[in-house]
Amino acid sequence: MANDELKQTWKVPEPTLRRLPWYLAFVKLLKQRGETSISSTQIAKEINVDASQVAKDLSYVNISGKTRVGYEIDTLIDVLEDFLGFNSTHKAFLFGVGSLGAALLQDTGLGQYGLEIVAGFDIREELSGTSINGIPVYHMSELSTMQKRYGATIGIITVPVDKAQEVTNHIITEGIKALWNFTPFRIRVPEHIVVQNTSLYAHLALMFNRMNSTN
Amino acid sequence: MANDELKQTWKVPEPTLRRLPWYLAFVKLLKQRGETSISSTQIAKEINVDASQVAKDLSYVNISGKTRVGYEIDTLIDVLEDFLGFNSTHKAFLFGVGSLGAALLQDTGLGQYGLEIVAGFDIREELSGTSINGIPVYHMSELSTMQKRYGATIGIITVPVDKAQEVTNHIITEGIKALWNFTPFRIRVPEHIVVQNTSLYAHLALMFNRMNSTN
């Protein structure tokens, strides 16, 4: 999320990557309504972003519009979904089957966007052998064995704050390449490991603060 | 989350509001370990943010450190939790009890951060009268009645994309002041209404893209 976390310069800027899913959601809606083409001006108007910005964002994606007609909606959806990685399957393990962890295991929507959570892990013995939404939960000590079976590349971190760094260190040694960190703890990782922070609590704090400011 | 959504200048900058929960999580961890005071330099070192930035962020919060000793941890936790709104109760309705909506109703962690989801709403008749995690689910047509009973100020939007704007318009007329939008749709609201966008799919897209870039 935070720009200041990115030490290297990425090919596609973060704000662009944040906006592309908005465009995708919008053009999918247009498709539902029977539309077949759209211009960047129309996208801009609906999404409330400059038309030049929309064109620039879409220039990162391998698609070209036609003068007057704009983009073909079917193609735009395919190309955006491919570009955003929603058409590929990324196997993930979830660490910490507490309240938030269990909730995420129940969200089948993530699967439609290319994230397949294949197993959950927890240190509580009583959870081992259970399953949530058809996804098996294993004891943390079985990680090595299960990684050989599943070959997951993503680790979803929903452990308590005081375990976040320890779990991070451990799972990286098991070949996890990217961490989706739901804890408010700033985990540290080697340079080649990707971290995506999604702290719902930070978002809550922002919303509460803005609410007070507008009252 | 996106900076470009904010038309007005807020008193506390968004990056500061994003970092403060990191500091809070870290000092709570120190308290668990028995520490009693901390300097902004120590926070900076651990969180990987400049010490001057930490001091500046904390200057928005009503707390002052002592030379050489730093901040008293108990006080810092109290003051940060108050400032971030985690100590107050904010009543919320959740709209759209699908996969993600039901998952959020099951996450008891949000309650510890000041968000009390008091009811869920859906247009599917069969969900009406049920409850998830002790939270009642009502039919959308009961919103007006239930708002009189509960007086919620926050609306959590987990409806399908094609219903996001319609539901937004509707619930604003019922007195909802802030929207926590989990859909990838860019909802439009009057100026006095607060919107917090948390699209898990946009975060996934970012992570997938970064994974491809580091390989």
Side-chain angles (χ1 to χ4, degrees):
Chain A
M1 297 290 303
N3 283 308
D4 46 2
E5 283 160 41
L6 308 171
K7 279 149 225 140
Q8 61 185 109
T9 311
W10 304 101
K11 221 163 63 184
V12 188
E14 185 174 329
T16 294
L17 281 169
R18 273 201 268 109
R19 282 187 295 261
L20 290 175
W22 299 341
Y23 307 162
L24 175 61
F26 175 59
V27 293
K28 280 169 95 172
L29 196 59
L30 290 182
K31 185 188 157 105
Q32 263 183 46
R33 291 183 192 152
E35 307 279 336
T36 55
S37 67
I38 178 133
S39 67
S40 51
T41 319
Q42 280 173 281
I43 298 179
K45 204 176 150 191
E46 183 67 29
I47 310 283
N48 211 6
V49 172
D50 281 350
S52 60
Q53 185 65 66
V54 174
K56 201 177 165 193
D57 287 343
L58 289 176
S59 75
Y60 288 101
V61 182
N62 187 22
I63 189 166
S64 51
K66 289 178 195 152
T67 323
R68 284 166 200 266
V69 183
Y71 304 98
E72 206 192 317
I73 283 180
D74 278 338
T75 316
L76 189 52
I77 292 175
D78 278 353
V79 168
L80 276 173
E81 286 187 332
D82 266 349
F83 184 82
L84 295 172
F86 295 158
N87 279 341
S88 322
T89 300
H90 303 77
K91 284 189 190 169
F93 283 159
L94 180 139
F95 298 92
V97 187
S99 171
L100 177 61
L104 287 173
L105 291 180
Q106 262 144 7
D107 179 17
T108 51
L110 294 168
Q112 294 162 31
Y113 287 83
L115 187 81
E116 191 196 354
I117 309 180
V118 289
F121 292 87
D122 205 285
I123 51 166
R124 285 169 293 178
E125 303 281 356
E126 67 269 28
L127 293 180
S128 167
T130 65
S131 75
I132 291 178
N133 189 24
I135 301 164
V137 177
Y138 300 108
H139 191 267
M140 199 61 193
S141 60
E142 298 178 85
L143 174 59
S144 203
T145 313
M146 292 307 156
Q147 178 62 321
K148 283 184 195 86
R149 181 186 301 176
Y150 292 107
T153 51
I154 295 174
I156 303 172
I157 315 281
T158 47
V159 297
V161 163
D162 60 335
K163 295 286 181 294
Q165 189 62 57
E166 179 189 326
V167 166
T168 296
N169 299 346
H170 179 177
I171 69 180
I172 287 172
T173 64
E174 292 292 346
I176 294 292
K177 306 283 180 219
L179 303 168
W180 197 1
N181 177 27
F182 279 85
T183 79
F185 190 78
R186 296 219 72 199
I187 52 175
R188 294 179 168 234
V189 296
E191 217 169 303
H192 62 285
I193 300 289
V194 172
V195 176
Q196 174 62 40
N197 290 307
T198 300
S199 171
L200 297 181
Y201 314 126
H203 291 198
L204 266 185
L206 262 167
M207 184 168 62
F208 292 160
N209 184 275
R210 294 337 185 192
M211 286 175 78
N212 289 331
S213 309
T214 55
N215 287 344
Chain B
M1 287 310 297
N3 284 309
D4 45 4
E5 286 160 40
L6 306 171
K7 282 150 223 140
Q8 61 185 108
T9 311
W10 304 102
K11 221 163 62 182
V12 187
E14 184 173 329
T16 294
L17 282 169
R18 272 200 270 110
R19 282 187 294 262
L20 290 175
W22 298 341
Y23 306 162
L24 175 61
F26 174 58
V27 293
K28 279 169 95 171
L29 196 58
L30 289 183
K31 185 189 157 104
Q32 264 184 46
R33 290 183 192 150
E35 306 281 336
T36 55
S37 66
I38 180 134
S39 67
S40 50
T41 320
Q42 281 172 280
I43 298 179
K45 204 176 150 192
E46 184 66 30
I47 310 283
N48 212 6
V49 171
D50 281 349
S52 59
Q53 185 65 67
V54 173
K56 200 178 165 193
D57 287 342
L58 289 176
S59 75
Y60 287 102
V61 182
N62 186 23
I63 190 165
S64 51
K66 287 179 197 152
T67 324
R68 285 162 200 265
V69 183
Y71 304 98
E72 206 192 316
I73 284 180
D74 278 338
T75 315
L76 189 53
I77 292 174
D78 279 352
V79 168
L80 277 173
E81 287 187 331
D82 266 349
F83 184 82
L84 295 171
F86 296 158
N87 279 340
S88 322
T89 301
H90 303 76
K91 284 189 190 168
F93 283 158
L94 180 139
F95 298 93
V97 187
S99 172
L100 177 60
L104 287 174
L105 291 180
Q106 260 143 9
D107 178 16
T108 51
L110 295 169
Q112 293 160 34
Y113 286 84
L115 187 82
E116 191 197 354
I117 310 181
V118 289
F121 292 86
D122 205 285
I123 51 165
R124 285 169 293 178
E125 302 281 357
E126 66 270 28
L127 293 179
S128 168
T130 64
S131 75
I132 292 177
N133 190 24
I135 301 165
V137 177
Y138 300 107
H139 191 267
M140 200 60 192
S141 59
E142 298 179 82
L143 175 58
S144 204
T145 313
M146 292 307 156
Q147 179 62 320
K148 283 184 196 87
R149 183 187 300 176
Y150 291 107
T153 51
I154 294 173
I156 303 171
I157 314 281
T158 48
V159 296
V161 163
D162 61 335
K163 295 286 181 295
Q165 189 62 56
E166 179 189 325
V167 165
T168 296
N169 298 345
H170 178 176
I171 68 179
I172 287 173
T173 65
E174 292 292 346
I176 295 293
K177 306 283 181 220
L179 303 168
W180 197 2
N181 177 28
F182 279 83
T183 80
F185 189 78
R186 296 219 74 199
I187 51 174
R188 294 180 167 233
V189 295
E191 216 168 305
H192 62 285
I193 300 290
V194 172
V195 175
Q196 174 62 40
N197 290 305
T198 300
S199 171
L200 296 181
Y201 313 127
H203 292 198
L204 265 184
L206 260 168
M207 184 168 62
F208 292 159
N209 184 275
R210 295 333 185 194
M211 286 174 78
N212 288 331
S213 309
T214 54
N215 286 343

